Amino acid sequence: MIPLEEAQAHVFAQITQLGVTTLKLSEARSLFTATPIRASVSVPPFDNTAVDGYAVRSTDLRGASLESPVVLQVVGTLAAGESANLEVGPNTAVRIMTGAPIPEGADSIVMVEDTSKGPNDTVLVYTPTSIGGNIRNAGSDIASGDVVFPAYTEITPAVIGSIASVGLTEVEVIKRPRVAVISTGSELTDEVPLPLGKIRDSNRPSLMAAITEMGAEPIDYGPVPDDYQQLKEVFTKASKECDAVVTSGGVSVGDFDYSKKVLEEISSNQMRWMQISIKPAKPFAFGMIGSKPLFGLPGNPVSALVSFELFARPSIAMMMGNPNPFRTVTKALVPEGIKRSSDGKIHFLRSTVRFDQNGKLQCEVNVGQSSHMLSSLAHSNALAVVPDGIGIDKNGLVEVMLLARVI
Ligand code: AMP
Ligand code: MG
């Protein structure tokens, strides 16, 4: 057995970032910027009002109060999107809506809530204003010439909006990896009813979903029976057509594991077959098929997903240029403690992490920790990382790797 860090270092050392492409903003979600994004305009593009109200001169409103409102003559109205040629002179005001440009002569906006309409196009103002009050200045969000986002920024919905606000419709990004997903095993079938001895393929759908979730593109290469010729065809095609290959099954020591023979051949004996000191997911294979990394995950469904989390996910994130390719790892309180025995392995236990009444993270290890019990992983939002030894004392702290939202 080799330590997890050694296996990870071996894999990550061979991962390289993908090339750069230009995409429509709407197609760039979850990718990473390849170059800094610079604004050639200001946002907002002009001074405008933050509220519905009246554009005024603050000098006219000195001493305005509920008891002695100031009366101003309303000389016009400005809606958002309009740019009428209106001017605010002494003792006048312009009715103005949120987002409309500030008319000439005005230095502040009084909220409509602090006014009431008077007779003959007048308005009664019950409060003074200060210069610049309720005005959003040109460039106060983004100034022309600013670097809005440096390279390697994740393209989130707010990033998409900010880039759109400076008038850009395309963005230079690191390519979205196309990741082949293959399941191996003659026991896998879609046949209805399920023949005795056969099972459904659960790894392919869950791995494809995990790849989609992280912003990469899964490509389905189907289940492949344990057959030398078919395995060779699919692995060859997948590694040619995609940026990376994720396959499950046939990496441990079974009689019918033709995947080993095929992968050794097409990788020119580049594969490394590992036994890692972790539970689950002890067996794992990795190699380069030409320039394409291939992740050989164990077949047991929980092992496959844990192995994906520890090796494939961070690698694919690195290919995408993600500067933080790892899941959040933090500490949580274990009120019940965790009992285990020493076996030389780190245990990754399916757990639920929630906030307790004091807002502290608390970890509960879930029942059903066998590597075929996928539903217990489905009910978990974290893996508790329990180092080799006798476990964690009651009310001790354990490291948790967050897989989903804390509840
Ligand atoms: P293997 O790693 O090929 O020896 O498979 C280990 C266990 O995982 C066996 O019980 C397989 O039937 C099961 N298994 C392998 N591939 C899959 C899959 N795609 N979906 C569900 N179970 C699988
Ligand atoms: Mg198998």
Side-chain angles (χ1 to χ4, degrees), residues 195-223:
L196 183 64
K198 305 277 182 181
I199 58 166
R200 301 294 181 215
D201 177 0
S202 60
N203 289 348
R204 200 164 34 96
S206 65
L207 291 168
M208 288 184 63
I211 289 163
T212 302
E213 191 192 36
M214 62 177 298
E217 184 187 357
I219 314 284
D220 188 354
Y221 284 84

Side-chain angles (χ1 to χ4, degrees), residues 266-330:
I266 65 170
S267 71
S268 319
N269 300 305
Q270 280 281 302
M271 293 299 296
R272 183 159 167 195
W273 307 89
M274 292 171 252
Q275 296 291 320
I276 303 165
S277 51
I278 57 173
K279 186 182 173 181
K282 184 170 70 137
F284 171 67
F286 179 80
M288 301 296 291
I289 315 287
S291 61
K292 315 291 179 64
L294 180 137
F295 302 87
L297 314 181
N300 269 314
V302 175
S303 306
L305 279 175
V306 169
S307 192
F308 179 86
E309 284 297 332
L310 297 177
F311 298 100
R313 193 177 193 281
S315 299
I316 296 167
M318 290 171 196
M319 293 169 77
M320 297 172 74
N322 186 341
N324 303 300
F326 301 105
R327 292 283 201 190
T328 300
V329 175
T330 182

Side-chain angles (χ1 to χ4, degrees), residues 182-185 203 226 235 247-252 257 259 296-300 304:
I182 301 169
S183 288
T184 69
N203 289 348
D226 294 306
F235 280 133
T247 176
S248 67
V251 297
S252 54
D257 288 346
S259 338
L297 314 181
N300 269 314

